């Protein structure tokens, strides 16, 4: 994505709203006592719902307060502990702390929790040019206070759709709220993102916005990117009205993540039934495939499995996880010929128009076609009954169905003897060495695949545990030898192709990086000198290390200096050249100044 999103501030709703609030925002009224208070004496209470502030704006505001002080008093209340709790003016308080102010004006009021919430809402919704996110958080607070959407809309003088969309904004995951507050997302894009599930929002953030705090961060066609998290329910492979497919999720027809359910609030979104909950949609697709496979097997007892050559990852996972399918010999759709029951003749195919334009039905030809159909159908059924055609469950990405096939497609696959066949042969005494050997191979192959799945599950759980620890602010981290080895691996992986080959030959004596244990052991065993060599090779691969203004360049400079490169001699030599250049330029500059002075006098 390459096109940069405009960073212009979004238009803010007017501050003049009919809120019908009970409490006066003027801090210098008769209800309060004006005082001077240290910013450190004031606590930010749990009732304040604004959790995110634009750090740059706070820094700019703090610089202004350092010059002029706080003009408008904050409002506080005294708590039973004796401390003061902030009611109104959190941005002023935070900026005052950053500016290092010793005292700021405040008004102490005697307020209940309900009055505190009312004042906070009034302050945030009535102030001039509130950020849309803060407005959304205020509306969310009203909604959580059991205020109906109709009442909130009336109090704000807005439509119900406006209120509902702002409630969705307040549910955005925290990283997207931060980006919105930094004005890097527009209102239209935020509106689209807000209707995605939290899982999809997080996936979008990880893929497109993880580096949003970098100075060169760019976002392109966000709305186009969001389409990968939306699914047309008219094309869903499952019955969207089936509430038993995933009982916990219920039917799609009443789901809040189905755009069609929002038609009373957002008519434009209801033109298409679109699912915005990726995880749920994928889970229903998987459940549908599993159910359809189980139904075909239970009803028809197929003796083979045929899979589409373009089977989706989810469908493949279902096939591999079901004991019923693992017990069947598997064929690719390209390896067999599917055989379908003949279609009965249609009367329309035997109707024509005579010279006068009159419709005529050729009953004779229709009867002949009917006889041919019956003969073909009997032959087809005979092939099924005789075993000439193999009965199979055909699995595609959108579900499963019953199918019959004959061997010999693009590349013929020898029919596999099933476990059931082997057991019956053992009981009847007709089992052969080849049948037993084949069964051993099948069991071992299945167990090998099962162990691979076990390893995948273990790896995923370990990854999840590490990721969860990174989210926990209370986790204490201790640098381990494994961390140091991982750092060496990351440096190795950052090398360019040529540099990696050079390092591979220089340090690892032919140990392939794909041999996980051996390569990690070799990384851990690198001497300090070898490690330093790899670090400097990684720096040398980065072209920005040649640019003095880049942090990579500054790092390379310090590495060279610490490594014994005579940086001072290089600088001295370059300074000498610069002085020689200046000496050569001085006469020319003096001459030009003299000429310019003459032109000025003449003018």
């Amino acid at each position: 994505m390459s096109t940069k999103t405009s960073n212009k501030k979004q238009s803010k709703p007017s501050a003049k709203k009919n809120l019908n609030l009970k409490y006066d925002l003027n801090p210098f009224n008769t209800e309060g006592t004006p005082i001077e208070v240290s910013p450190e004496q004031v606590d930010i209470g749990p009732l304040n719902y604004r959790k995110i502030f634009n750090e740059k704006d706070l820094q700019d505001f703090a610089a202004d307060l350092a010059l002029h002080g706080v003009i408008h008093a904050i409002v506080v209340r005294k708590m039973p502990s004796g401390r003061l709790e902030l009611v109104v003016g959190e941005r002023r308080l935070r900026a005052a702390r950053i500016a290092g102010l010793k005292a700021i004006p405040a008004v102490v009021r005697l307020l209940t929790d309900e009055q505190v919430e009312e004042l906070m809402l009034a302050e945030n919704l009535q102030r001039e040019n509130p950020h849309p996110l803060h407005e959304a958080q205020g509306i969310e607070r009203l909604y959580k206070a059991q205020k109906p959407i109709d009442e909130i809309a009336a109090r704000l003088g807005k439509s119900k759709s406006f209120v509902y969309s702002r409630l969705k904004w307040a549910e955005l995951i925290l990283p997207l709220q931060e980006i919105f507050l930094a004005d890097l997302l527009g209102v239209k894009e935020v509106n689209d993102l807000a209707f995605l599930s939290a899982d999809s929002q997080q996936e979008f953030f990880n893929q497109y916005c993880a580096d949003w705090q970098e100075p060169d961060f760019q976002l392109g066609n966000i709305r186009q990117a969001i389409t990968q998290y939306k699914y047309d329910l008219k094309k869903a492979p499952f019955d969207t009205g089936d509430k038993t497919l995933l009982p916990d999720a219920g039917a799609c027809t009443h789901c809040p993540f189905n755009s069609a359910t929002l038609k009373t609030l957002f008519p434009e979104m209801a033109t298409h039934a679109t699912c915005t909950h990726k995880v749920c949609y994928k889970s229903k697709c998987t459940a549908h495939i599993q159910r359809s496979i189980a139904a075909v097997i239970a009803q028809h007892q197929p003796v083979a499995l045929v899979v589409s050559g373009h089977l989706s990852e989810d469908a493949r996972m279902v096939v591999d996880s079901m004991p019923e399918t693992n017990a069947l010999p598997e064929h690719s759709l390209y390896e067999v010929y599917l055989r379908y029951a003949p279609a009965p003749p249609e009367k329309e195919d035997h109707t024509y128009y005579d010279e006068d334009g009159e419709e005529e039905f050729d009953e004779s030809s229709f009867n002949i076609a009917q006889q041919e159909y019956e003969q073909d159908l009997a032959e087809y059924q005979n092939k099924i009954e005789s075993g000439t055609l193999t009965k199979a469950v055909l699995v595609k990405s959108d579900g499963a169905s019953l199918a019959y096939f004959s061997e010999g497609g693009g590349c013929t696959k020898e029919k596999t003897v099933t476990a059931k066949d082997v057991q019956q042969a053992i009981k009847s005494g007709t089992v052969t060495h080849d049948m037993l050997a084949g069964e051993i191979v099948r069991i071992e192959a299945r167990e090998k695949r099962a162990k691979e799945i076990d390893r995948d599950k273990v790896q995923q759980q370990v990854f999840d545990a590490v990721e969860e620890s990174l989210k926990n602010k209370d986790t204490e981290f201790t640098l381990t030898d494994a961390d140091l080895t991982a750092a060496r691996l990351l440096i190795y992986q950052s090398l360019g192709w040529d540099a990696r080959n050079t390092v591979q030959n220089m340090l690892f004596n032919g140990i392939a990086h794909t041999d996980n244990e051996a390569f990690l052991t070799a990384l851990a065993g690198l001497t300090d000198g070898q490690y330093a060599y790899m670090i400097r090779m990684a720096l040398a691969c980065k072209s920005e290390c040649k640019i003095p203004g880049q942090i990579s360049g500054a790092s390379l400079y310090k590495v060279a200096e610490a490594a014994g490169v005579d940086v001072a001699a290089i600088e001295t030599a370059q300074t000498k050249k610069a002085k020689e250049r200046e000496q050569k330029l001085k006469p020319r500059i003096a001459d030009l100044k003299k000429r310019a002075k003459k032109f000025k006098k003449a003018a």
Side-chain angles (χ1 to χ4, degrees):
M1 306 177 77
S2 58
T3 308
K4 190 169 185 179
T5 298
S6 171
N7 290 342
K8 291 183 180 179
K9 300 263 186 188
Q10 304 297 328
S11 60
K12 312 291 195 302
S14 170
K16 296 179 181 179
K17 299 183 177 70
N18 180 23
L19 292 175
N20 301 319
L21 297 172
K22 306 173 186 176
Y23 305 105
D24 185 4
L25 284 178
N26 179 10
F28 298 104
N29 63 18
T30 56
E31 296 181 17
T33 304
I35 61 171
E36 290 281 323
V37 64
S38 166
E40 303 304 325
Q41 292 179 283
V42 182
D43 298 324
I44 297 173
L47 295 177
N48 196 308
Y49 56 85
R50 287 181 65 186
K51 305 299 181 186
I52 308 172
F53 291 84
N54 188 306
E55 191 62 34
K56 183 179 183 302
D57 287 348
L58 272 181
Q59 294 291 342
D60 293 343
F61 189 26
D64 184 67
L65 293 188
L67 293 175
H68 306 293
V70 176
I71 298 174
H72 298 290
I74 64 173
V75 178
V76 298
R77 65 172 176 171
K78 195 168 185 179
M79 303 303 292
S81 64
R83 296 278 296 177
L84 296 175
E85 183 181 87
L86 182 72
V87 177
V88 170
E90 182 175 357
R91 186 168 175 268
R92 279 164 276 166
L93 177 64
R94 288 179 181 272
R97 288 176 177 174
I98 295 172
L101 299 184
K102 301 301 182 184
I104 60 174
V107 172
V108 183
R109 290 197 193 181
L110 185 63
L111 298 168
T112 65
D113 285 352
E114 182 182 359
Q115 290 171 327
V116 167
E117 289 189 343
E118 189 79 21
L119 274 173
M120 286 180 176
L121 286 171
E123 194 269 342
N124 283 319
L125 293 177
Q126 287 189 342
R127 74 181 190 272
E128 185 178 0
N129 294 328
H131 192 280
L133 179 60
H134 295 150
E135 182 182 53
Q137 292 169 335
I139 291 172
E140 181 189 38
R141 180 54 65 93
L142 285 173
Y143 186 69
K144 287 184 176 179
Q146 308 301 315
K147 305 294 183 186
I149 288 182
D150 287 343
E151 180 182 336
I152 298 172
R155 292 179 70 177
L156 298 178
K158 296 289 186 180
S159 65
K160 288 195 296 182
S161 63
F162 176 89
V163 173
Y164 188 77
S165 65
R166 293 319 186 259
L167 288 173
K168 297 299 290 183
W169 290 5
E171 294 175 359
L172 280 168
I173 62 171
L174 188 60
L176 291 180
Q177 289 191 25
E178 293 175 338
I179 298 175
F180 185 27
L181 194 64
D183 296 315
L184 294 174
L185 283 172
V187 167
K188 289 183 178 179
E189 290 83 2
V190 166
N191 211 44
D192 284 341
L193 286 167
F195 284 89
L196 299 180
S197 66
D199 292 329
S200 294
Q201 290 180 28
Q202 188 64 53
E203 186 176 333
F204 174 87
F205 173 81
N206 293 342
Q207 185 170 357
Y208 297 107
C209 308
D211 59 343
W212 73 273
Q213 292 179 316
E214 298 294 330
D216 58 346
F217 173 71
Q218 292 183 343
L219 274 174
N221 191 342
I222 303 173
R223 305 190 80 179
Q224 180 63 33
I226 292 173
T227 58
Q228 67 180 293
Y229 304 99
K230 296 181 178 181
Y231 300 90
D232 187 348
L233 288 175
K234 290 183 179 179
K235 299 179 180 178
F238 53 85
D239 179 5
T240 57
D242 185 354
K243 57 185 178 183
T244 66
L245 186 59
L246 279 184
D248 291 341
C252 301
T253 47
H254 297 92
C255 177
F257 292 102
N258 178 358
S259 62
T261 64
L262 306 174
K263 59 185 177 182
T264 56
L265 290 172
F266 303 97
E268 71 282 359
M269 293 182 65
T271 54
H272 293 91
T274 302
C275 173
T276 57
H277 197 313
K278 182 177 181 179
V279 173
C280 182
Y281 183 88
K282 290 286 190 181
S283 297
K284 285 195 173 185
C285 288
T286 301
H288 164 71
I289 294 168
Q290 186 169 10
R291 176 190 281 184
S292 61
I293 292 174
V296 172
I297 292 176
Q299 184 176 354
H300 301 286
Q301 291 81 47
V303 296
L305 171 71
V306 176
V307 296
S308 167
H310 299 287
L311 202 62
S312 67
E313 184 177 337
D314 292 337
R316 183 71 257 180
M317 179 187 69
V318 171
V319 169
D320 289 342
S321 66
M322 293 181 69
E324 300 96 317
T325 53
N326 280 316
L328 299 174
E330 181 177 322
H331 302 263
S332 168
L333 183 58
Y334 300 118
E335 298 172 342
V336 299
Y337 288 119
L338 291 184
R339 304 299 185 182
Y340 299 96
E346 298 287 343
K347 288 188 175 182
E348 289 79 1
D349 296 333
H350 298 271
T351 301
Y352 64 95
Y353 294 89
D354 61 20
E355 295 179 356
D356 297 326
E358 296 293 331
E359 186 175 277
E360 291 285 345
F361 172 60
D362 190 344
E363 187 172 359
S364 176
S365 66
F366 176 77
N367 290 335
I368 293 173
Q370 181 69 25
Q371 291 174 4
E372 292 175 348
Y373 159 70
E374 291 172 357
Q375 291 173 357
D376 291 342
L377 180 61
E379 184 180 351
Y380 176 74
Q381 291 173 339
N382 182 57
K383 287 181 178 179
I384 292 175
E385 293 170 3
S386 65
T388 305
L389 296 183
T390 304
K391 182 165 55 174
V393 52
L394 172 62
V395 181
K396 296 184 178 180
S397 296
D398 58 354
S401 61
L402 176 67
Y404 291 91
F405 71 88
S406 60
E407 297 282 355
C411 55
T412 303
K413 179 178 179 180
E414 184 178 351
K415 186 175 179 179
T416 306
V417 178
T418 68
K420 184 177 180 180
D421 294 334
V422 175
Q423 291 301 318
Q424 289 178 344
I426 291 174
K427 289 180 180 179
S428 64
T430 59
V431 70
T432 65
H433 177 272
D434 289 344
M435 291 175 69
L436 294 172
E439 181 64 3
I440 292 171
V441 171
R442 188 192 68 80
I443 292 173
E444 289 178 343
R446 183 177 174 184
E447 180 59 21
K448 180 181 178 182
R449 175 58 180 155
K451 288 179 178 178
E452 289 174 353
I453 295 174
D454 289 340
R455 287 197 297 272
D456 291 344
K457 290 180 178 178
V458 170
Q459 185 71 28
Q460 183 63 49
Q461 291 178 41
V462 172
F463 177 86
D464 292 343
V466 172
E467 189 176 46
E468 189 61 33
S469 71
L470 296 174
K471 296 177 183 177
N472 188 350
K473 295 181 179 179
D474 297 328
T475 302
E476 294 185 5
F477 294 97
T478 302
L479 189 65
T480 67
D481 290 341
D483 289 319
L484 296 174
T485 301
R488 295 182 177 191
L489 175 63
L490 293 173
I491 292 171
Y492 173 81
Q493 291 175 333
S494 73
L495 297 171
W497 177 260
D498 292 336
R500 188 179 295 189
N501 284 338
T502 301
V503 170
Q504 181 80 23
N505 295 329
M506 181 73 72
L507 303 182
F508 297 106
N509 298 321
I511 299 174
H513 67 272
T514 53
D515 186 350
N516 295 348
E517 291 300 325
F519 194 75
L520 289 175
T521 300
L523 280 171
L526 291 178
T527 66
D528 289 346
Q530 291 172 324
Y531 189 24
Y533 170 80
M534 190 165 65
I535 291 172
R536 294 169 199 176
M537 180 67 81
L539 283 172
C541 287
K542 300 176 74 67
S543 59
E544 54 265 39
C545 286
K546 300 176 183 178
I547 305 173
Q550 295 286 335
I551 190 170
S552 299
S555 177
L556 177 88
Y557 198 99
K558 291 184 177 296
V559 167
E561 197 171 31
V565 174
D566 195 347
V567 174
I570 295 173
E571 290 182 342
T572 299
Q574 193 62 37
T575 301
K576 181 180 178 181
K577 290 180 180 179
K579 287 182 178 179
E580 291 174 352
R581 186 175 61 249
E582 288 175 3
Q583 290 299 322
K584 291 179 181 179
L585 290 175
K586 279 183 179 180
R588 185 179 175 188
I589 292 173
D591 180 63
L592 292 171
K593 285 182 177 180
K594 185 176 179 181
R595 292 175 183 274
K597 189 174 182 181
K598 288 181 179 179
F599 275 107
K600 187 175 181 181
K601 287 181 178 180

